[in-house]
Amino acid sequence: MLEFTKQRDSLNIIKIAMKVFENTSEGVMITDARGRIISVNPAFEIVTGYNAEEVMGNNPNILQSGVHDENFYQSMWKQIYDTGVWKGEIWNKRKNDELYPEWLTISVIKDDSGDVTNYVGIFSDISDQKCAEKQLRFLAHYDSLTGVANRYSLNKRLEGLLQTAEKYQQQLAILFLDLDRFKQVNDTLGHNYGDILLKQVSSRLKGLIKNKDMIARLGGDEFVIVLPNLKHPKEAIHIAELIIESLSKSFLLESHEVYVTASIGISLYPLDGIDTDTLLKNADKAMYDAKSCGKNQYELYHQEMHQHESRQMILETYLRKALERNELYLVYHPIVNTDSLEIVSVEALVRWKQKKLGDIPPSEFIPLAEEIGLIVPLSEWIIQKACEDLNSFHLNGAKIRMNINVSALHFNQGGFVKSLNEIFQRTNVSTRHIVLELTESMIMPNAVETVDKLVKLKQLGIKLSIDDFGTGYSSLSYLSRFPLDTLKIDQSFIKGIALYKENRSIVQAIIMMANRLNLKVVAEGVENKKQYELLKKEKCDFIQGYYITKPLPKHKLLALLQNWDGNNFI
């Protein structure tokens, strides 16, 4: 009876193995000890184009692409003989002669005597992943809307140009350009037409500069043009005049004819600065001076422009007292599960209402706090307040998570993990409900130290999310190296997902890779139903944006949580 049971169990195991063999999405090829193919599964036939009868008895080298040399295969088989397994990326050839990349694992099967009986190759076609990597590498250096360089690429290229200028004693100019009536176009016609306008502006700008010059979009309607190896500053002035003249002509946005002008600030190397930050900052100051003088003109930077920093000095004084005066407060932006339509988390956002100046935008006071050394106490206040409010939400029956943005300067503090743990203990918050939002530029420069710090945070029970994914390094390597839980797709891609095929392809690629790496995906900046439906179709896990609600103060969020019915809101 026992023998019969063992035989029955063995047959069940074989049946299960055959089902897996037939239905797995990865190609499987089995050879005998001499390397002759004796079995392949349906996925093998789909990927390679060969049917089983065509390959039986053949050597797997019928799939060789010719891309790899003899040394590659010698090294592969040496590792198989030494360790019993080889894993790696390889290019093979389909039956129709099309080359494709695959991830291949070759394993040795031995009998009880230790003799080789079979080799098993398991592979998956990674063509789509390669395409996604190429798209993300493009995003690392170029603006997805206009195709010109982005901020990261500008900084890297400008560093090299400044080194060359110093070595050969050359002059260099920075032109900082801002469109004067762009907001009116956006507000009147909508963001879609604003994007069309930005594309046409960048096209005109590219037509005015030489191959040695560089153009970059910093975001919004701000562009920077770098003019290296100038013989005379008049060359920069000439380009600025050409830009103003070119942009003065009307733009046709489908059926709408619009006019915009530009204000341009110019800084010169080495006269106005010798490093990237100083030159960009001074060109920016000159641009604002051009705006204040009537717009549609250019201004050269000069030292007197420092006098226009009086507002920043006033803000600095008020910001130092904002915490003790209780002028800072938090609002919360819900994050919704795309399928269940439940509010699963809220993002804590800081706001400042100054008694004399009114509402000060975070884009203005957060960089100021970093500049004057207040960002650490400000960040710790935000984290503590968010934890206290999270406890309040839980007491009211809302078992949601709290997403908290982390400043790069705060994150890089030596005692960052310790200070966080002290806040968690002081507030007695459940750390498994805390999500820290980090940026790519924050964690990439010191990867080794970052991994150690992130591991310690994970040990506290915290979840980790990458914010604004796609706008920074977009390095695929860190996704597997760092203990991350979530990717947050930058809203610049979501904004155009329903309009531009490129945006949708990028979003699809990010979601696909995140799924492969067991990461959840949040799409931020969702503003309408069409965007939501497309994201749901692409199996994006969570959405966040004004389509759900604007950020809410604590009492309004509590009311929303208590009355929430996703089907009535979405």
Side-chain angles (χ1 to χ4, degrees), residues 41-59:
N41 72 340
F44 173 95
E45 298 184 12
I46 292 171
V47 173
T48 66
Y50 288 99
N51 61 47
E53 291 73 19
E54 290 176 303
V55 297
M56 288 302 183
N58 284 313
N59 189 288

Side-chain angles (χ1 to χ4, degrees), residues 155-378:
N155 288 335
K156 298 299 289 185
R157 175 85 187 280
L158 191 48
E159 285 176 10
L161 291 174
L162 288 175
Q163 290 173 1
T164 302
E166 180 184 16
K167 182 177 180 180
Y168 296 104
Q169 297 184 330
Q170 297 173 345
Q171 294 185 78
L172 176 148
I174 302 284
L175 276 63
F176 199 112
L177 182 152
D178 185 273
L179 301 182
D180 296 323
R181 299 185 67 252
F182 181 70
K183 187 175 184 302
Q184 287 91 323
V185 174
N186 261 348
D187 292 347
T188 305
L189 300 178
H191 292 284
N192 297 338
Y193 287 98
D195 288 349
I196 297 172
L197 175 59
L198 289 172
K199 288 181 179 180
Q200 292 188 17
V201 167
S202 66
S203 178
R204 290 191 191 181
L205 294 177
K206 281 187 266 188
L208 298 174
I209 62 176
K210 301 175 183 176
N211 289 334
K212 69 179 180 67
D213 305 329
M214 180 184 189
I215 177 172
R217 180 180 172 225
L218 299 190
D221 59 339
E222 292 182 339
F223 292 85
V224 168
I225 293 174
V226 182
L227 306 174
N229 193 20
L230 295 182
K231 300 296 184 264
H232 195 280
K234 286 182 179 179
E235 293 179 47
I237 294 173
H238 176 64
I239 294 294
E241 290 172 341
L242 288 177
I243 292 171
I244 290 171
E245 180 185 356
S246 175
L247 298 185
S248 66
K249 299 169 186 175
S250 66
F251 292 86
L252 189 62
L253 312 181
E254 294 183 356
S255 60
H256 301 278
E257 186 178 18
V258 301
Y259 290 85
V260 294
T261 56
S263 297
I264 303 171
I266 305 173
S267 64
L268 300 167
Y269 170 89
L271 180 64
D272 301 322
I274 59 173
D275 61 82
T276 297
D277 289 343
T278 302
L279 287 166
L280 286 172
K281 182 176 69 174
N282 290 342
D284 189 22
K285 286 188 175 79
M287 182 273 294
Y288 275 106
D289 198 52
K291 276 192 181 296
S292 65
C293 291
K295 305 177 182 178
N296 194 27
Q297 57 186 292
Y298 66 86
E299 284 287 343
L300 290 161
Y301 174 79
H302 49 84
Q303 288 295 323
E304 289 76 9
M305 287 183 180
H306 286 293
Q307 296 172 1
H308 296 293
E309 295 175 353
S310 57
R311 173 176 168 82
Q312 185 168 348
M313 294 174 64
I314 293 170
L315 283 178
E316 178 181 338
T317 303
Y318 286 152
L319 186 57
R320 292 186 184 280
K321 299 177 181 179
L323 278 173
E324 61 187 70
R325 290 177 175 173
N326 293 319
E327 293 176 349
L328 296 169
Y329 63 98
L330 297 184
V331 294
Y332 297 99
H333 208 188
I335 297 172
V336 171
N337 184 295
T338 312
D339 287 325
S340 69
L341 300 182
E342 294 177 324
I343 296 177
V344 295
S345 188
V346 293
E347 180 182 358
L349 302 168
V350 65
R351 297 290 185 262
W352 180 21
K353 189 175 184 67
Q354 211 286 322
K355 292 179 180 177
K356 293 183 179 179
L357 300 178
D359 292 317
I360 312 296
S363 59
E364 190 170 6
F365 72 81
I366 293 294
L368 179 60
E370 293 177 339
E371 185 179 333
I372 64 178
L374 283 180
I375 194 63
V376 172
L378 174 59

